[in-house]
Amino acid sequence: MKTLVTYSTKTGNTKKVAESIAKAIKNSEIMDISEVKNLDYDLIIVGTWIDKGTADTKALNFIKTLANKNTAFFFTLGAYPDSKHALDCVENITKLFIDNENKVLGHFLCQGAVDPKLIEMMKTKLGPDHPHGPNPERIKRWADASLHPDETDLNNAYVYFKELVEKL
Ligand SMILES: Cc1cc2nc3c(=O)[nH]c(=O)nc-3n(C[C@H](O)[C@H](O)[C@H](O)COP(=O)(O)O)c2cc1C
């Protein structure tokens, strides 16, 4: 079986998860999303970072090129994995795949450190009452996210995709 693990990343979090997933799948190929030349795979696993509640532009454009494929996806995000926001992201991204008749075989997500430059901007430019401003709850979430993806996340991704592929 030919499997592609491809990812879009801005600061490296999603790439780390991709590398762990690729290790779990025998004979898989791993590639930055901008390097994918053909789609001749039995399974295409797409990784993205979350930008405004959905896949980032590069991943979004890539997903739109897929049709009638066996797929799965994973993402890293600043929000907590068990939040409503994370669930909304799963729904938004699933829809991108199924709109083109792709089969989505599974998905994985974990928190990822938010770019310190973005945090600095939000801390200095936005007031605490702004929807993205530095209130205590958000400051705690940024601090929690800064520790991810950690070894547990990487191992969870490994196990999740190993089992997913073994079942095919
Ligand atoms: C411009 C920008 C927009 C973001 N939007 C969201 C968002 O809507 N929801 C969220 O949970 N995290 C958001 N994040 C956080 C990233 O998705 C998260 O830090 C991710 O792990 C970054 O992955 P990367 O290191 O692979 O680029 C945003 C980050 C940036 C820089």
mmCIF file of all heavy atoms in Angstrom, residues 8-15 49-53 76-79 85 112-115 118, ligand 1:
data_model
loop_
_atom_site.group_PDB
_atom_site.id
_atom_site.type_symbol
_atom_site.label_atom_id
_atom_site.label_comp_id
_atom_site.label_asym_id
_atom_site.label_seq_id
_atom_site.Cartn_x
_atom_site.Cartn_y
_atom_site.Cartn_z
ATOM 1 N N SER A 8 1.441 20.917 6.095
ATOM 2 C CA SER A 8 1.719 22.339 5.978
ATOM 3 C C SER A 8 2.071 22.828 7.384
ATOM 4 O O SER A 8 1.387 22.464 8.356
ATOM 5 C CB SER A 8 0.461 23.025 5.457
ATOM 6 O OG SER A 8 0.624 24.410 5.519
ATOM 7 N N THR A 9 3.105 23.612 7.492
ATOM 8 C CA THR A 9 3.538 24.057 8.813
ATOM 9 C C THR A 9 4.120 25.456 8.708
ATOM 10 O O THR A 9 4.720 25.813 7.702
ATOM 11 C CB THR A 9 4.591 23.084 9.397
ATOM 12 O OG1 THR A 9 4.811 23.371 10.770
ATOM 13 C CG2 THR A 9 5.920 23.134 8.655
ATOM 14 N N LYS A 10 3.898 26.253 9.768
ATOM 15 C CA LYS A 10 4.481 27.593 9.770
ATOM 16 C C LYS A 10 5.646 27.633 10.746
ATOM 17 O O LYS A 10 6.698 28.170 10.456
ATOM 18 C CB LYS A 10 3.396 28.597 10.178
ATOM 19 C CG LYS A 10 3.710 30.030 9.909
ATOM 20 C CD LYS A 10 2.425 30.869 9.953
ATOM 21 C CE LYS A 10 2.725 32.327 9.699
ATOM 22 N NZ LYS A 10 2.810 33.098 10.962
ATOM 23 N N THR A 11 5.445 27.022 11.919
ATOM 24 C CA THR A 11 6.496 27.096 12.943
ATOM 25 C C THR A 11 7.014 25.712 13.372
ATOM 26 O O THR A 11 7.744 25.612 14.354
ATOM 27 C CB THR A 11 5.996 27.868 14.188
ATOM 28 O OG1 THR A 11 4.835 27.228 14.711
ATOM 29 C CG2 THR A 11 5.656 29.306 13.853
ATOM 30 N N GLY A 12 6.609 24.646 12.655
ATOM 31 C CA GLY A 12 7.215 23.329 12.890
ATOM 32 C C GLY A 12 6.391 22.335 13.684
ATOM 33 O O GLY A 12 6.725 21.140 13.701
ATOM 34 N N ASN A 13 5.324 22.763 14.347
ATOM 35 C CA ASN A 13 4.542 21.825 15.175
ATOM 36 C C ASN A 13 3.944 20.691 14.336
ATOM 37 O O ASN A 13 4.052 19.513 14.694
ATOM 38 C CB ASN A 13 3.381 22.548 15.870
ATOM 39 C CG ASN A 13 3.838 23.653 16.789
ATOM 40 O OD1 ASN A 13 4.912 23.575 17.372
ATOM 41 N ND2 ASN A 13 3.032 24.692 16.928
ATOM 42 N N THR A 14 3.318 21.070 13.236
ATOM 43 C CA THR A 14 2.607 20.074 12.425
ATOM 44 C C THR A 14 3.598 19.133 11.741
ATOM 45 O O THR A 14 3.331 17.943 11.565
ATOM 46 C CB THR A 14 1.708 20.802 11.392
ATOM 47 O OG1 THR A 14 0.982 21.827 12.085
ATOM 48 C CG2 THR A 14 0.721 19.856 10.749
ATOM 49 N N LYS A 15 4.761 19.657 11.417
ATOM 50 C CA LYS A 15 5.806 18.808 10.820
ATOM 51 C C LYS A 15 6.245 17.711 11.800
ATOM 52 O O LYS A 15 6.442 16.564 11.423
ATOM 53 C CB LYS A 15 7.009 19.675 10.422
ATOM 54 C CG LYS A 15 8.105 18.881 9.758
ATOM 55 C CD LYS A 15 9.257 19.753 9.333
ATOM 56 C CE LYS A 15 10.299 18.908 8.631
ATOM 57 N NZ LYS A 15 11.460 19.673 8.224
ATOM 58 N N TRP A 49 -1.946 23.222 10.082
ATOM 59 C CA TRP A 49 -2.106 23.997 11.318
ATOM 60 C C TRP A 49 -3.397 24.779 11.166
ATOM 61 O O TRP A 49 -3.845 25.039 10.037
ATOM 62 C CB TRP A 49 -0.901 24.907 11.572
ATOM 63 C CG TRP A 49 -0.560 25.888 10.511
ATOM 64 C CD1 TRP A 49 0.143 25.642 9.371
ATOM 65 C CD2 TRP A 49 -0.888 27.286 10.485
ATOM 66 N NE1 TRP A 49 0.277 26.796 8.641
ATOM 67 C CE2 TRP A 49 -0.354 27.828 9.290
ATOM 68 C CE3 TRP A 49 -1.580 28.141 11.347
ATOM 69 C CZ2 TRP A 49 -0.480 29.174 8.946
ATOM 70 C CZ3 TRP A 49 -1.704 29.480 11.003
ATOM 71 C CH2 TRP A 49 -1.170 29.984 9.824
ATOM 72 N N ILE A 50 -4.012 25.113 12.275
ATOM 73 C CA ILE A 50 -5.307 25.785 12.215
ATOM 74 C C ILE A 50 -5.110 27.291 12.119
ATOM 75 O O ILE A 50 -4.400 27.893 12.918
ATOM 76 C CB ILE A 50 -6.177 25.422 13.442
ATOM 77 C CG1 ILE A 50 -6.513 23.931 13.427
ATOM 78 C CG2 ILE A 50 -7.443 26.278 13.466
ATOM 79 C CD1 ILE A 50 -7.329 23.451 12.237
ATOM 80 N N ASP A 51 -5.740 27.841 11.111
ATOM 81 C CA ASP A 51 -5.721 29.283 10.872
ATOM 82 C C ASP A 51 -7.176 29.737 10.779
ATOM 83 O O ASP A 51 -7.898 29.309 9.884
ATOM 84 C CB ASP A 51 -4.968 29.548 9.549
ATOM 85 C CG ASP A 51 -4.789 31.037 9.275
ATOM 86 O OD1 ASP A 51 -5.226 31.857 10.104
ATOM 87 O OD2 ASP A 51 -4.211 31.366 8.224
ATOM 88 N N LYS A 52 -7.580 30.538 11.702
ATOM 89 C CA LYS A 52 -8.958 31.048 11.763
ATOM 90 C C LYS A 52 -9.998 29.944 11.635
ATOM 91 O O LYS A 52 -10.935 30.005 10.834
ATOM 92 C CB LYS A 52 -9.185 32.107 10.686
ATOM 93 C CG LYS A 52 -8.338 33.354 10.903
ATOM 94 C CD LYS A 52 -8.526 34.362 9.782
ATOM 95 C CE LYS A 52 -7.251 35.119 9.470
ATOM 96 N NZ LYS A 52 -6.226 34.327 8.754
ATOM 97 N N GLY A 53 -9.807 28.908 12.426
ATOM 98 C CA GLY A 53 -10.845 27.879 12.540
ATOM 99 C C GLY A 53 -10.904 26.843 11.448
ATOM 100 O O GLY A 53 -11.820 26.013 11.421
ATOM 101 N N THR A 76 -2.687 20.616 14.221
ATOM 102 C CA THR A 76 -2.305 21.179 15.510
ATOM 103 C C THR A 76 -2.989 22.538 15.607
ATOM 104 O O THR A 76 -3.212 23.210 14.601
ATOM 105 C CB THR A 76 -0.780 21.347 15.658
ATOM 106 O OG1 THR A 76 -0.310 22.333 14.723
ATOM 107 C CG2 THR A 76 -0.049 20.047 15.411
ATOM 108 N N LEU A 77 -3.328 22.895 16.851
ATOM 109 C CA LEU A 77 -4.047 24.161 17.053
ATOM 110 C C LEU A 77 -3.693 24.738 18.417
ATOM 111 O O LEU A 77 -3.219 24.014 19.298
ATOM 112 C CB LEU A 77 -5.564 23.954 16.917
ATOM 113 C CG LEU A 77 -6.372 23.357 18.088
ATOM 114 C CD1 LEU A 77 -7.853 23.459 17.794
ATOM 115 C CD2 LEU A 77 -5.990 21.925 18.393
ATOM 116 N N GLY A 78 -3.950 26.030 18.564
ATOM 117 C CA GLY A 78 -3.651 26.677 19.835
ATOM 118 C C GLY A 78 -4.686 26.358 20.903
ATOM 119 O O GLY A 78 -4.378 26.327 22.100
ATOM 120 N N ALA A 79 -5.919 26.104 20.472
ATOM 121 C CA ALA A 79 -7.010 25.824 21.422
ATOM 122 C C ALA A 79 -6.834 24.438 22.038
ATOM 123 O O ALA A 79 -6.038 23.626 21.552
ATOM 124 C CB ALA A 79 -8.346 25.909 20.688
ATOM 125 N N HIS A 85 -14.193 24.698 19.799
ATOM 126 C CA HIS A 85 -13.444 25.222 18.649
ATOM 127 C C HIS A 85 -12.734 24.086 17.895
ATOM 128 O O HIS A 85 -12.768 24.028 16.657
ATOM 129 C CB HIS A 85 -12.438 26.264 19.135
ATOM 130 C CG HIS A 85 -11.624 26.894 18.051
ATOM 131 N ND1 HIS A 85 -12.157 27.691 17.076
ATOM 132 C CD2 HIS A 85 -10.289 26.828 17.774
ATOM 133 C CE1 HIS A 85 -11.201 28.104 16.248
ATOM 134 N NE2 HIS A 85 -10.060 27.604 16.663
ATOM 135 N N GLY A 112 -0.708 22.878 19.700
ATOM 136 C CA GLY A 112 0.618 23.248 19.211
ATOM 137 C C GLY A 112 0.938 24.661 19.670
ATOM 138 O O GLY A 112 0.073 25.547 19.627
ATOM 139 N N ALA A 113 2.166 24.854 20.083
ATOM 140 C CA ALA A 113 2.605 26.169 20.567
ATOM 141 C C ALA A 113 2.234 27.268 19.574
ATOM 142 O O ALA A 113 2.471 27.130 18.374
ATOM 143 C CB ALA A 113 4.118 26.142 20.762
ATOM 144 N N VAL A 114 1.676 28.341 20.086
ATOM 145 C CA VAL A 114 1.329 29.480 19.227
ATOM 146 C C VAL A 114 2.594 30.322 19.042
ATOM 147 O O VAL A 114 3.352 30.553 19.999
ATOM 148 C CB VAL A 114 0.198 30.323 19.867
ATOM 149 C CG1 VAL A 114 -0.161 31.519 18.977
ATOM 150 C CG2 VAL A 114 -1.038 29.456 20.130
ATOM 151 N N ASP A 115 2.810 30.765 17.813
ATOM 152 C CA ASP A 115 3.978 31.571 17.464
ATOM 153 C C ASP A 115 4.171 32.714 18.480
ATOM 154 O O ASP A 115 3.289 33.569 18.635
ATOM 155 C CB ASP A 115 3.737 32.140 16.056
ATOM 156 C CG ASP A 115 4.955 32.864 15.506
ATOM 157 O OD1 ASP A 115 5.886 33.136 16.292
ATOM 158 O OD2 ASP A 115 4.949 33.159 14.300
ATOM 159 N N LEU A 118 3.193 36.149 17.445
ATOM 160 C CA LEU A 118 1.756 36.440 17.401
ATOM 161 C C LEU A 118 1.245 36.752 18.819
ATOM 162 O O LEU A 118 0.477 37.695 19.030
ATOM 163 C CB LEU A 118 0.999 35.242 16.804
ATOM 164 C CG LEU A 118 -0.509 35.398 16.680
ATOM 165 C CD1 LEU A 118 -0.861 36.484 15.677
ATOM 166 C CD2 LEU A 118 -1.167 34.080 16.255
HETATM 167 C C1 LIG B 1 -2.173 33.529 11.947
HETATM 168 C C2 LIG B 1 -2.510 32.427 12.928
HETATM 169 C C3 LIG B 1 -3.838 32.065 13.088
HETATM 170 C C4 LIG B 1 -4.191 31.057 13.991
HETATM 171 N N1 LIG B 1 -5.506 30.724 14.154
HETATM 172 C C5 LIG B 1 -5.841 29.772 15.064
HETATM 173 C C6 LIG B 1 -7.204 29.417 15.272
HETATM 174 O O1 LIG B 1 -8.133 29.927 14.630
HETATM 175 N N2 LIG B 1 -7.476 28.500 16.222
HETATM 176 C C7 LIG B 1 -6.510 27.876 16.960
HETATM 177 O O2 LIG B 1 -6.851 27.056 17.804
HETATM 178 N N3 LIG B 1 -5.196 28.147 16.757
HETATM 179 C C8 LIG B 1 -4.852 29.075 15.832
HETATM 180 N N4 LIG B 1 -3.518 29.365 15.618
HETATM 181 C C9 LIG B 1 -2.498 28.578 16.323
HETATM 182 C C10 LIG B 1 -1.813 27.531 15.416
HETATM 183 O O3 LIG B 1 -2.778 26.769 14.689
HETATM 184 C C11 LIG B 1 -0.978 26.550 16.249
HETATM 185 O O4 LIG B 1 -0.029 27.261 17.015
HETATM 186 C C12 LIG B 1 -0.281 25.493 15.372
HETATM 187 O O5 LIG B 1 0.227 24.488 16.195
HETATM 188 C C13 LIG B 1 0.835 26.063 14.520
HETATM 189 O O6 LIG B 1 1.379 24.976 13.782
HETATM 190 P P1 LIG B 1 2.772 25.011 12.991
HETATM 191 O O7 LIG B 1 3.870 25.127 14.021
HETATM 192 O O8 LIG B 1 2.803 23.715 12.257
HETATM 193 O O9 LIG B 1 2.752 26.192 12.067
HETATM 194 C C14 LIG B 1 -3.172 30.386 14.730
HETATM 195 C C15 LIG B 1 -1.824 30.753 14.540
HETATM 196 C C16 LIG B 1 -1.503 31.759 13.648
HETATM 197 C C17 LIG B 1 -0.043 32.126 13.456
#
